[in-house]
Amino acid sequence: MAPAAMEMLGRSFLPGPAGAGAAGRERGGGPCLAAVGREGRRRRGPLRSAAPVGALAERVVVTPAPAERAGAAPPEELPHPQSVAARAVVTVRRRRKEDAKRRVAEQLDAYADRVGRSVLLELVSTETDPTGKGGPKKSKRSALVGWFEKKDVKAERVVYTADFTVDASFGEPGAVTVLNRHQREFFIESIVVEGFPSGPAHFTCNSWVQPTRVDRSPRVFFTNKPYLPDETPPGLQELRRQELSDLRGEGAAAGAADGERRLTDRVWEYDVYNDLGNPDKGAEFARPVLGGEQLPYPRRMRTGRPKTVTDDRAESRVEYPEPIYVSRDEEFEEGKNEMLSEGALKALLHNFMPLLVSSVSPDIRDFAGFHDVDNLFKEGLRLKQALQDQLFQKIPFVRKIQENSEGLLRYDTPDIIKKDKFAWLRDDEFARQALAGINPVNIERLQAFPPVSKLDPAVYGPPESAITEQHIIGQLDGMSVREALEDNRLYMLDYHDIFLPFLDRINAQDGRKAYGTRTLFFLTAAGTLKPIAIELCLPPMTDGCKRAKRVFTPPADATSNWLWQLAKAHVCSNDAGVHQLINHWLRTHACMEPFIIAAHRQLSAMHPIFKLLKPHMRYTLKINALARQILINGDGVIESGFTPGRYCMEMSAFAYRELWRIDQEGLPADLIRRGMAVEDPTQPHGLRLLIEDYPYATDGMLLWSAITRWCDAYVAMYYPSDESVQGDAELQAWYGEAVRTGHADKRDAPWWPRLSTPADLASLLTTLVWLTSAQHAALNFGQYPLGGYIPNRPPLMRRLVPAEGDPEYAHLVADPHRFFLSALPSLTQTTTFMTVIDTLSTHSADEEYLGERPDEAWTADPAALAAAREFADEVRRAEEEIERRNADTGRRNRCGAGVLSYELMAPTSGPGITCRGVPNSVTI
């Protein structure tokens, strides 16, 4: 790998400097705050911190003034009998770790606060002021009390107060404005206002408040009461409109609409993917723009950076670890940054040592045998004595790394070889992973034989597969092909059409070799699959080219066994590329980004649908921004680690244009599209799976059904009729903008679902929640446990399968295991890839799992809270059912000798690599 790539990978998981703060969102600090805790929830991992330290929890009490003494200051004016004394209790979350510069700044802010440069709060009523010009009733601004006194409190959460006296006719507080006159930002977790006859008013903030030197406008936080647009109280209507205008970048505080965004901004805008390459470094570093007529693609968050010097279509890059713009509140919290920081040291050592070894001793760039692969987990990267002496002489600090980092240089043993070291070699395990592996979403029922390509035959040759009945008839348990098709016994992994248009360019790259593959499986009487034929295809060089399509069948001798293993490795390489570039990145990351951007631009924080979506949008924009810096960029992790190389993202754009449809992204629609299920109203979920033991689908339907019932119930609370959906201006603007602007290249497609009825809305929300939670989890958190042993699932292949008569064929026969390993990624490619997927598979300690809402005050609607509790209970019951299924010996795709349980849909998890857990959102 190039030195630049090594440098990038070595630091690819250090936390950015703009990290937000500590994990968790519980609130506490006295009788005025809502109680923390959720009855009946089950969670693995550490509990979150209790009430904040240093809280001022005094109740609001008005006492008689003492007798005035001579020379004493006049007593504070008591509230008028027709007035209300109220108190705002503000919970501020501090960083757990502060550098010296920040500590000094904190002290300076505390002293400035004492002399009058304080934080000012203002209450805004839900009612308008009849004596004014139609604006809302407002309190006088009141300073936040206690900042100086609590400057040295060592607590993660500190509570401050502000007191108000308002007229008795003030009404109910519907918003609080906060003006930060300190020199630095701070993070408000929540505000509770007490003292009004209507009871405590809760304001869930979870946001950074910038100082007036950055933004002179006060921040607005709305009550946790949900309001549809036409139900907004009169006093909040203009604030609601102005807040959305500011988030769209239209307000005065947002700065120039076409300028570069500051890291402190809270502005959501769209742009194309024009920042993946760096043409200023040379033509080889340029990458095409994704988004537009030539290469359709979803839109991403706009940063407004200047264009490159050499190409005015490309945006200049910000290289990691320099921070890239996302809206300020989308930055990682401190707990997430700590997880990534812990992975950074492993990444540095795991990538540095193999690159160093290969640069000093080129003869060991490849694995000499399978024992070398195994030693990565048993002993770590062990150096031969002669090589040690050479390294220690040239680079003395290597000895210290070797002595002090033995545990970090050794990789964790992936789950796939823990129970059975040789399971990956077996055909039944190769087939089982199509149903219960990292990428269980491409298996499809074969509905016609032979399979036929949809590519242009004038360019890519005859569309029919070369697999004939003679190839497979002996594997069908006495059935004919026609009988097997009619009995739903034939299945396929088909990567022919997605790879073939790119193969000439892929195979022209050094050390990259690929085919377009088709694999046929037969469903046995035991309910398991067995592979019966693999077809490896290349673009035809001449008419009737026999080498363009080669068919392999299960082996009958030693040589054919190794050829079969090589063919399976090429299938796995195809599968790994499609999994990462399309099913994972495109479908659950990139295609969700426009819906998230549009939600923040068009849905008020008071909108009930925004409240439902909020936990499912957490961290996604930050993760996607980091991906543009280090994963999907030119010469980044994806290009370096996967066979398509520099054409990875063009393949992703091809799949978006040809395959992606939001109406087929829900689980039932996807299963039906692939022929894996048929509609059946007599079944519990309205579907009948054609492979009964399909772990991804059976467990997925448990969570899909729970999400469906939750969304149905929630939507019904606010939308009693079709007219209520059609008349919601914010809702229609959200969906319309996500389609017309966020997915502009597909805006005219006829398949976009309508948003006209409550059922339409509930269906759309169910799909979005599914994709960001369960679907992403199923595709992400098994990457290291199942893919960390590279021979099981090579992401990159370096050799084609030799044919008899080729010079390489003799090498295969003479030393088959060394030839096989030489076709897989090299030592440095392997260790680099393992390090990356190690981090991608890790849950952070601040993860929030499906059904969890750490902030109990996310809504003031008791019906919504009750429905959320029922949703959480159903998710818990789904987890219990998954545990029962994994213990059922009749389910052979998830239970048996050496067979891994399927837990990727099990909702909860502790931190770390667990091969389970369904976070609410795309958090990694």
Side-chain angles (χ1 to χ4, degrees), residues 586-616:
L586 174 66
R587 294 172 64 186
T588 68
H589 284 257
C591 287
M592 294 300 98
E593 185 157 343
F595 289 98
I596 295 172
I597 296 173
H600 286 85
R601 286 168 54 87
Q602 302 295 346
L603 296 177
S604 167
M606 290 187 286
H607 199 292
I609 299 306
F610 186 88
K611 290 180 178 294
L612 180 141
L613 288 174
K614 187 171 177 59
H616 306 290

PDB file of all heavy atoms in Angstrom, residues 586-616:
ATOM      1  N   LEU A 586     -24.159   2.248   0.540  1.00  0.00           N
ATOM      2  CA  LEU A 586     -25.161   2.951  -0.267  1.00  0.00           C
ATOM      3  C   LEU A 586     -26.536   2.926   0.394  1.00  0.00           C
ATOM      4  O   LEU A 586     -27.177   3.972   0.577  1.00  0.00           O
ATOM      5  CB  LEU A 586     -25.238   2.328  -1.667  1.00  0.00           C
ATOM      6  CG  LEU A 586     -26.343   2.881  -2.575  1.00  0.00           C
ATOM      7  CD1 LEU A 586     -26.079   4.346  -2.922  1.00  0.00           C
ATOM      8  CD2 LEU A 586     -26.470   2.045  -3.851  1.00  0.00           C
ATOM      9  N   ARG A 587     -27.004   1.748   0.780  1.00  0.00           N
ATOM     10  CA  ARG A 587     -28.402   1.603   1.191  1.00  0.00           C
ATOM     11  C   ARG A 587     -28.668   2.103   2.603  1.00  0.00           C
ATOM     12  O   ARG A 587     -29.762   2.624   2.866  1.00  0.00           O
ATOM     13  CB  ARG A 587     -28.828   0.138   1.052  1.00  0.00           C
ATOM     14  CG  ARG A 587     -28.858  -0.364  -0.384  1.00  0.00           C
ATOM     15  CD  ARG A 587     -29.100  -1.853  -0.471  1.00  0.00           C
ATOM     16  NE  ARG A 587     -30.399  -2.232   0.050  1.00  0.00           N
ATOM     17  CZ  ARG A 587     -30.795  -3.500   0.182  1.00  0.00           C
ATOM     18  NH1 ARG A 587     -29.980  -4.492  -0.153  1.00  0.00           N
ATOM     19  NH2 ARG A 587     -31.989  -3.767   0.663  1.00  0.00           N
ATOM     20  N   THR A 588     -27.698   1.934   3.520  1.00  0.00           N
ATOM     21  CA  THR A 588     -27.980   2.334   4.909  1.00  0.00           C
ATOM     22  C   THR A 588     -27.268   3.609   5.330  1.00  0.00           C
ATOM     23  O   THR A 588     -27.628   4.189   6.353  1.00  0.00           O
ATOM     24  CB  THR A 588     -27.629   1.203   5.906  1.00  0.00           C
ATOM     25  OG1 THR A 588     -26.210   1.014   5.941  1.00  0.00           O
ATOM     26  CG2 THR A 588     -28.311  -0.093   5.526  1.00  0.00           C
ATOM     27  N   HIS A 589     -26.279   4.050   4.599  1.00  0.00           N
ATOM     28  CA  HIS A 589     -25.589   5.309   4.909  1.00  0.00           C
ATOM     29  C   HIS A 589     -26.003   6.408   3.936  1.00  0.00           C
ATOM     30  O   HIS A 589     -26.671   7.372   4.307  1.00  0.00           O
ATOM     31  CB  HIS A 589     -24.063   5.117   4.851  1.00  0.00           C
ATOM     32  CG  HIS A 589     -23.472   4.404   6.011  1.00  0.00           C
ATOM     33  ND1 HIS A 589     -22.794   5.043   7.019  1.00  0.00           N
ATOM     34  CD2 HIS A 589     -23.437   3.086   6.329  1.00  0.00           C
ATOM     35  CE1 HIS A 589     -22.365   4.158   7.915  1.00  0.00           C
ATOM     36  NE2 HIS A 589     -22.741   2.961   7.515  1.00  0.00           N
ATOM     37  N   ALA A 590     -25.569   6.267   2.682  1.00  0.00           N
ATOM     38  CA  ALA A 590     -25.715   7.364   1.720  1.00  0.00           C
ATOM     39  C   ALA A 590     -27.165   7.679   1.402  1.00  0.00           C
ATOM     40  O   ALA A 590     -27.555   8.854   1.318  1.00  0.00           O
ATOM     41  CB  ALA A 590     -24.955   7.024   0.434  1.00  0.00           C
ATOM     42  N   CYS A 591     -27.993   6.662   1.207  1.00  0.00           N
ATOM     43  CA  CYS A 591     -29.387   6.907   0.819  1.00  0.00           C
ATOM     44  C   CYS A 591     -30.228   7.443   1.969  1.00  0.00           C
ATOM     45  O   CYS A 591     -31.296   8.016   1.738  1.00  0.00           O
ATOM     46  CB  CYS A 591     -30.017   5.637   0.252  1.00  0.00           C
ATOM     47  SG  CYS A 591     -29.404   5.216  -1.404  1.00  0.00           S
ATOM     48  N   MET A 592     -29.772   7.282   3.202  1.00  0.00           N
ATOM     49  CA  MET A 592     -30.488   7.836   4.341  1.00  0.00           C
ATOM     50  C   MET A 592     -30.139   9.302   4.587  1.00  0.00           C
ATOM     51  O   MET A 592     -30.927  10.035   5.192  1.00  0.00           O
ATOM     52  CB  MET A 592     -30.190   7.014   5.604  1.00  0.00           C
ATOM     53  CG  MET A 592     -30.726   5.588   5.572  1.00  0.00           C
ATOM     54  SD  MET A 592     -32.528   5.530   5.375  1.00  0.00           S
ATOM     55  CE  MET A 592     -32.668   5.238   3.606  1.00  0.00           C
ATOM     56  N   GLU A 593     -28.973   9.732   4.137  1.00  0.00           N
ATOM     57  CA  GLU A 593     -28.525  11.094   4.430  1.00  0.00           C
ATOM     58  C   GLU A 593     -29.506  12.159   3.947  1.00  0.00           C
ATOM     59  O   GLU A 593     -29.802  13.109   4.688  1.00  0.00           O
ATOM     60  CB  GLU A 593     -27.124  11.327   3.858  1.00  0.00           C
ATOM     61  CG  GLU A 593     -26.549  12.680   4.226  1.00  0.00           C
ATOM     62  CD  GLU A 593     -25.036  12.730   4.180  1.00  0.00           C
ATOM     63  OE1 GLU A 593     -24.392  11.661   4.182  1.00  0.00           O
ATOM     64  OE2 GLU A 593     -24.491  13.842   4.167  1.00  0.00           O
ATOM     65  N   PRO A 594     -30.062  12.080   2.727  1.00  0.00           N
ATOM     66  CA  PRO A 594     -31.026  13.112   2.310  1.00  0.00           C
ATOM     67  C   PRO A 594     -32.254  13.193   3.204  1.00  0.00           C
ATOM     68  O   PRO A 594     -32.775  14.296   3.450  1.00  0.00           O
ATOM     69  CB  PRO A 594     -31.395  12.690   0.886  1.00  0.00           C
ATOM     70  CG  PRO A 594     -30.228  11.907   0.398  1.00  0.00           C
ATOM     71  CD  PRO A 594     -29.742  11.166   1.600  1.00  0.00           C
ATOM     72  N   PHE A 595     -32.747  12.075   3.706  1.00  0.00           N
ATOM     73  CA  PHE A 595     -33.915  12.104   4.585  1.00  0.00           C
ATOM     74  C   PHE A 595     -33.570  12.788   5.909  1.00  0.00           C
ATOM     75  O   PHE A 595     -34.417  13.477   6.502  1.00  0.00           O
ATOM     76  CB  PHE A 595     -34.427  10.683   4.833  1.00  0.00           C
ATOM     77  CG  PHE A 595     -35.076  10.057   3.633  1.00  0.00           C
ATOM     78  CD1 PHE A 595     -34.375   9.196   2.806  1.00  0.00           C
ATOM     79  CD2 PHE A 595     -36.390  10.344   3.313  1.00  0.00           C
ATOM     80  CE1 PHE A 595     -34.969   8.623   1.696  1.00  0.00           C
ATOM     81  CE2 PHE A 595     -37.003   9.782   2.203  1.00  0.00           C
ATOM     82  CZ  PHE A 595     -36.286   8.916   1.383  1.00  0.00           C
ATOM     83  N   ILE A 596     -32.334  12.616   6.375  1.00  0.00           N
ATOM     84  CA  ILE A 596     -31.907  13.248   7.629  1.00  0.00           C
ATOM     85  C   ILE A 596     -31.723  14.751   7.427  1.00  0.00           C
ATOM     86  O   ILE A 596     -32.159  15.560   8.255  1.00  0.00           O
ATOM     87  CB  ILE A 596     -30.615  12.580   8.129  1.00  0.00           C
ATOM     88  CG1 ILE A 596     -30.891  11.119   8.501  1.00  0.00           C
ATOM     89  CG2 ILE A 596     -30.049  13.327   9.328  1.00  0.00           C
ATOM     90  CD1 ILE A 596     -29.647  10.317   8.818  1.00  0.00           C
ATOM     91  N   ILE A 597     -31.073  15.135   6.335  1.00  0.00           N
ATOM     92  CA  ILE A 597     -30.892  16.564   6.057  1.00  0.00           C
ATOM     93  C   ILE A 597     -32.251  17.245   5.923  1.00  0.00           C
ATOM     94  O   ILE A 597     -32.500  18.306   6.518  1.00  0.00           O
ATOM     95  CB  ILE A 597     -30.054  16.766   4.777  1.00  0.00           C
ATOM     96  CG1 ILE A 597     -28.641  16.220   4.971  1.00  0.00           C
ATOM     97  CG2 ILE A 597     -30.001  18.250   4.405  1.00  0.00           C
ATOM     98  CD1 ILE A 597     -27.801  16.230   3.702  1.00  0.00           C
ATOM     99  N   ALA A 598     -33.154  16.647   5.157  1.00  0.00           N
ATOM    100  CA  ALA A 598     -34.477  17.244   4.951  1.00  0.00           C
ATOM    101  C   ALA A 598     -35.256  17.335   6.247  1.00  0.00           C
ATOM    102  O   ALA A 598     -35.998  18.302   6.473  1.00  0.00           O
ATOM    103  CB  ALA A 598     -35.257  16.433   3.910  1.00  0.00           C
ATOM    104  N   ALA A 599     -35.112  16.350   7.142  1.00  0.00           N
ATOM    105  CA  ALA A 599     -35.833  16.384   8.416  1.00  0.00           C
ATOM    106  C   ALA A 599     -35.414  17.593   9.237  1.00  0.00           C
ATOM    107  O   ALA A 599     -36.251  18.270   9.848  1.00  0.00           O
ATOM    108  CB  ALA A 599     -35.587  15.094   9.191  1.00  0.00           C
ATOM    109  N   HIS A 600     -34.134  17.892   9.279  1.00  0.00           N
ATOM    110  CA  HIS A 600     -33.666  19.040  10.053  1.00  0.00           C
ATOM    111  C   HIS A 600     -34.016  20.364   9.388  1.00  0.00           C
ATOM    112  O   HIS A 600     -34.168  21.382  10.071  1.00  0.00           O
ATOM    113  CB  HIS A 600     -32.153  18.946  10.270  1.00  0.00           C
ATOM    114  CG  HIS A 600     -31.753  17.912  11.274  1.00  0.00           C
ATOM    115  ND1 HIS A 600     -31.587  16.584  10.952  1.00  0.00           N
ATOM    116  CD2 HIS A 600     -31.507  17.998  12.611  1.00  0.00           C
ATOM    117  CE1 HIS A 600     -31.244  15.902  12.037  1.00  0.00           C
ATOM    118  NE2 HIS A 600     -31.190  16.738  13.054  1.00  0.00           N
ATOM    119  N   ARG A 601     -34.166  20.375   8.091  1.00  0.00           N
ATOM    120  CA  ARG A 601     -34.482  21.610   7.372  1.00  0.00           C
ATOM    121  C   ARG A 601     -35.976  21.923   7.378  1.00  0.00           C
ATOM    122  O   ARG A 601     -36.373  23.091   7.337  1.00  0.00           O
ATOM    123  CB  ARG A 601     -34.013  21.498   5.910  1.00  0.00           C
ATOM    124  CG  ARG A 601     -32.519  21.595   5.728  1.00  0.00           C
ATOM    125  CD  ARG A 601     -32.108  21.191   4.307  1.00  0.00           C
ATOM    126  NE  ARG A 601     -32.830  21.943   3.302  1.00  0.00           N
ATOM    127  CZ  ARG A 601     -32.462  23.137   2.815  1.00  0.00           C
ATOM    128  NH1 ARG A 601     -31.348  23.705   3.273  1.00  0.00           N
ATOM    129  NH2 ARG A 601     -33.167  23.748   1.881  1.00  0.00           N
ATOM    130  N   GLN A 602     -36.812  20.893   7.425  1.00  0.00           N
ATOM    131  CA  GLN A 602     -38.240  21.104   7.202  1.00  0.00           C
ATOM    132  C   GLN A 602     -39.134  20.739   8.370  1.00  0.00           C
ATOM    133  O   GLN A 602     -40.292  21.167   8.411  1.00  0.00           O
ATOM    134  CB  GLN A 602     -38.691  20.302   5.965  1.00  0.00           C
ATOM    135  CG  GLN A 602     -37.956  20.651   4.679  1.00  0.00           C
ATOM    136  CD  GLN A 602     -38.221  22.076   4.211  1.00  0.00           C
ATOM    137  OE1 GLN A 602     -39.146  22.748   4.678  1.00  0.00           O
ATOM    138  NE2 GLN A 602     -37.406  22.566   3.283  1.00  0.00           N
ATOM    139  N   LEU A 603     -38.658  19.935   9.310  1.00  0.00           N
ATOM    140  CA  LEU A 603     -39.479  19.520  10.452  1.00  0.00           C
ATOM    141  C   LEU A 603     -38.998  20.230  11.708  1.00  0.00           C
ATOM    142  O   LEU A 603     -37.841  20.090  12.110  1.00  0.00           O
ATOM    143  CB  LEU A 603     -39.403  18.007  10.663  1.00  0.00           C
ATOM    144  CG  LEU A 603     -39.964  17.115   9.556  1.00  0.00           C
ATOM    145  CD1 LEU A 603     -39.729  15.641   9.907  1.00  0.00           C
ATOM    146  CD2 LEU A 603     -41.451  17.372   9.347  1.00  0.00           C
ATOM    147  N   SER A 604     -39.877  20.958  12.348  1.00  0.00           N
ATOM    148  CA  SER A 604     -39.533  21.603  13.609  1.00  0.00           C
ATOM    149  C   SER A 604     -39.230  20.563  14.674  1.00  0.00           C
ATOM    150  O   SER A 604     -39.739  19.434  14.634  1.00  0.00           O
ATOM    151  CB  SER A 604     -40.696  22.486  14.075  1.00  0.00           C
ATOM    152  OG  SER A 604     -40.529  22.886  15.416  1.00  0.00           O
ATOM    153  N   ALA A 605     -38.404  20.963  15.637  1.00  0.00           N
ATOM    154  CA  ALA A 605     -38.138  20.080  16.782  1.00  0.00           C
ATOM    155  C   ALA A 605     -39.413  19.753  17.543  1.00  0.00           C
ATOM    156  O   ALA A 605     -39.474  18.753  18.255  1.00  0.00           O
ATOM    157  CB  ALA A 605     -37.119  20.727  17.712  1.00  0.00           C
ATOM    158  N   MET A 606     -40.459  20.583  17.381  1.00  0.00           N
ATOM    159  CA  MET A 606     -41.741  20.313  18.034  1.00  0.00           C
ATOM    160  C   MET A 606     -42.602  19.330  17.239  1.00  0.00           C
ATOM    161  O   MET A 606     -43.615  18.849  17.749  1.00  0.00           O
ATOM    162  CB  MET A 606     -42.515  21.629  18.205  1.00  0.00           C
ATOM    163  CG  MET A 606     -41.928  22.579  19.219  1.00  0.00           C
ATOM    164  SD  MET A 606     -43.003  24.010  19.505  1.00  0.00           S
ATOM    165  CE  MET A 606     -42.741  24.934  17.986  1.00  0.00           C
ATOM    166  N   HIS A 607     -42.227  19.061  15.999  1.00  0.00           N
ATOM    167  CA  HIS A 607     -43.060  18.202  15.161  1.00  0.00           C
ATOM    168  C   HIS A 607     -43.018  16.769  15.683  1.00  0.00           C
ATOM    169  O   HIS A 607     -41.939  16.229  15.968  1.00  0.00           O
ATOM    170  CB  HIS A 607     -42.566  18.238  13.720  1.00  0.00           C
ATOM    171  CG  HIS A 607     -43.591  17.774  12.730  1.00  0.00           C
ATOM    172  ND1 HIS A 607     -44.024  16.477  12.662  1.00  0.00           N
ATOM    173  CD2 HIS A 607     -44.286  18.455  11.769  1.00  0.00           C
ATOM    174  CE1 HIS A 607     -44.934  16.368  11.697  1.00  0.00           C
ATOM    175  NE2 HIS A 607     -45.109  17.560  11.142  1.00  0.00           N
ATOM    176  N   PRO A 608     -44.155  16.119  15.834  1.00  0.00           N
ATOM    177  CA  PRO A 608     -44.138  14.755  16.382  1.00  0.00           C
ATOM    178  C   PRO A 608     -43.332  13.772  15.538  1.00  0.00           C
ATOM    179  O   PRO A 608     -42.736  12.842  16.086  1.00  0.00           O
ATOM    180  CB  PRO A 608     -45.620  14.366  16.445  1.00  0.00           C
ATOM    181  CG  PRO A 608     -46.327  15.342  15.569  1.00  0.00           C
ATOM    182  CD  PRO A 608     -45.539  16.600  15.605  1.00  0.00           C
ATOM    183  N   ILE A 609     -43.285  13.958  14.218  1.00  0.00           N
ATOM    184  CA  ILE A 609     -42.517  13.033  13.383  1.00  0.00           C
ATOM    185  C   ILE A 609     -41.021  13.255  13.580  1.00  0.00           C
ATOM    186  O   ILE A 609     -40.237  12.300  13.563  1.00  0.00           O
ATOM    187  CB  ILE A 609     -42.921  13.185  11.902  1.00  0.00           C
ATOM    188  CG1 ILE A 609     -44.419  12.858  11.734  1.00  0.00           C
ATOM    189  CG2 ILE A 609     -42.078  12.282  11.020  1.00  0.00           C
ATOM    190  CD1 ILE A 609     -44.844  11.500  12.270  1.00  0.00           C
ATOM    191  N   PHE A 610     -40.597  14.495  13.793  1.00  0.00           N
ATOM    192  CA  PHE A 610     -39.190  14.730  14.098  1.00  0.00           C
ATOM    193  C   PHE A 610     -38.822  14.051  15.413  1.00  0.00           C
ATOM    194  O   PHE A 610     -37.738  13.468  15.540  1.00  0.00           O
ATOM    195  CB  PHE A 610     -38.895  16.227  14.178  1.00  0.00           C
ATOM    196  CG  PHE A 610     -37.434  16.541  14.354  1.00  0.00           C
ATOM    197  CD1 PHE A 610     -36.613  16.686  13.261  1.00  0.00           C
ATOM    198  CD2 PHE A 610     -36.877  16.670  15.626  1.00  0.00           C
ATOM    199  CE1 PHE A 610     -35.254  16.967  13.413  1.00  0.00           C
ATOM    200  CE2 PHE A 610     -35.534  16.945  15.794  1.00  0.00           C
ATOM    201  CZ  PHE A 610     -34.714  17.088  14.680  1.00  0.00           C
ATOM    202  N   LYS A 611     -39.704  14.114  16.386  1.00  0.00           N
ATOM    203  CA  LYS A 611     -39.431  13.478  17.675  1.00  0.00           C
ATOM    204  C   LYS A 611     -39.289  11.971  17.519  1.00  0.00           C
ATOM    205  O   LYS A 611     -38.464  11.343  18.176  1.00  0.00           O
ATOM    206  CB  LYS A 611     -40.537  13.825  18.670  1.00  0.00           C
ATOM    207  CG  LYS A 611     -40.533  15.288  19.121  1.00  0.00           C
ATOM    208  CD  LYS A 611     -41.646  15.576  20.108  1.00  0.00           C
ATOM    209  CE  LYS A 611     -41.601  17.021  20.588  1.00  0.00           C
ATOM    210  NZ  LYS A 611     -40.391  17.316  21.387  1.00  0.00           N
ATOM    211  N   LEU A 612     -40.088  11.366  16.646  1.00  0.00           N
ATOM    212  CA  LEU A 612     -39.970   9.928  16.405  1.00  0.00           C
ATOM    213  C   LEU A 612     -38.648   9.598  15.710  1.00  0.00           C
ATOM    214  O   LEU A 612     -37.969   8.628  16.047  1.00  0.00           O
ATOM    215  CB  LEU A 612     -41.142   9.433  15.560  1.00  0.00           C
ATOM    216  CG  LEU A 612     -41.145   7.933  15.241  1.00  0.00           C
ATOM    217  CD1 LEU A 612     -42.555   7.365  15.299  1.00  0.00           C
ATOM    218  CD2 LEU A 612     -40.547   7.645  13.863  1.00  0.00           C
ATOM    219  N   LEU A 613     -38.255  10.411  14.717  1.00  0.00           N
ATOM    220  CA  LEU A 613     -37.068  10.123  13.921  1.00  0.00           C
ATOM    221  C   LEU A 613     -35.756  10.446  14.626  1.00  0.00           C
ATOM    222  O   LEU A 613     -34.709   9.875  14.282  1.00  0.00           O
ATOM    223  CB  LEU A 613     -37.121  10.912  12.612  1.00  0.00           C
ATOM    224  CG  LEU A 613     -38.141  10.458  11.563  1.00  0.00           C
ATOM    225  CD1 LEU A 613     -38.162  11.442  10.405  1.00  0.00           C
ATOM    226  CD2 LEU A 613     -37.814   9.050  11.067  1.00  0.00           C
ATOM    227  N   LYS A 614     -35.784  11.337  15.590  1.00  0.00           N
ATOM    228  CA  LYS A 614     -34.538  11.871  16.150  1.00  0.00           C
ATOM    229  C   LYS A 614     -33.544  10.804  16.599  1.00  0.00           C
ATOM    230  O   LYS A 614     -32.356  10.872  16.246  1.00  0.00           O
ATOM    231  CB  LYS A 614     -34.846  12.830  17.298  1.00  0.00           C
ATOM    232  CG  LYS A 614     -33.598  13.560  17.813  1.00  0.00           C
ATOM    233  CD  LYS A 614     -33.956  14.646  18.795  1.00  0.00           C
ATOM    234  CE  LYS A 614     -32.702  15.313  19.362  1.00  0.00           C
ATOM    235  NZ  LYS A 614     -31.872  15.921  18.302  1.00  0.00           N
ATOM    236  N   PRO A 615     -33.922   9.781  17.376  1.00  0.00           N
ATOM    237  CA  PRO A 615     -32.903   8.808  17.787  1.00  0.00           C
ATOM    238  C   PRO A 615     -32.343   7.993  16.634  1.00  0.00           C
ATOM    239  O   PRO A 615     -31.266   7.413  16.763  1.00  0.00           O
ATOM    240  CB  PRO A 615     -33.660   7.911  18.781  1.00  0.00           C
ATOM    241  CG  PRO A 615     -35.095   8.068  18.425  1.00  0.00           C
ATOM    242  CD  PRO A 615     -35.245   9.483  17.957  1.00  0.00           C
ATOM    243  N   HIS A 616     -33.057   7.962  15.510  1.00  0.00           N
ATOM    244  CA  HIS A 616     -32.607   7.171  14.368  1.00  0.00           C
ATOM    245  C   HIS A 616     -31.737   7.975  13.406  1.00  0.00           C
ATOM    246  O   HIS A 616     -31.347   7.471  12.350  1.00  0.00           O
ATOM    247  CB  HIS A 616     -33.824   6.586  13.657  1.00  0.00           C
ATOM    248  CG  HIS A 616     -34.710   5.810  14.564  1.00  0.00           C
ATOM    249  ND1 HIS A 616     -34.338   4.591  15.110  1.00  0.00           N
ATOM    250  CD2 HIS A 616     -35.934   6.083  15.100  1.00  0.00           C
ATOM    251  CE1 HIS A 616     -35.291   4.151  15.907  1.00  0.00           C
ATOM    252  NE2 HIS A 616     -36.269   5.040  15.924  1.00  0.00           N
TER     253      HIS A 616
END
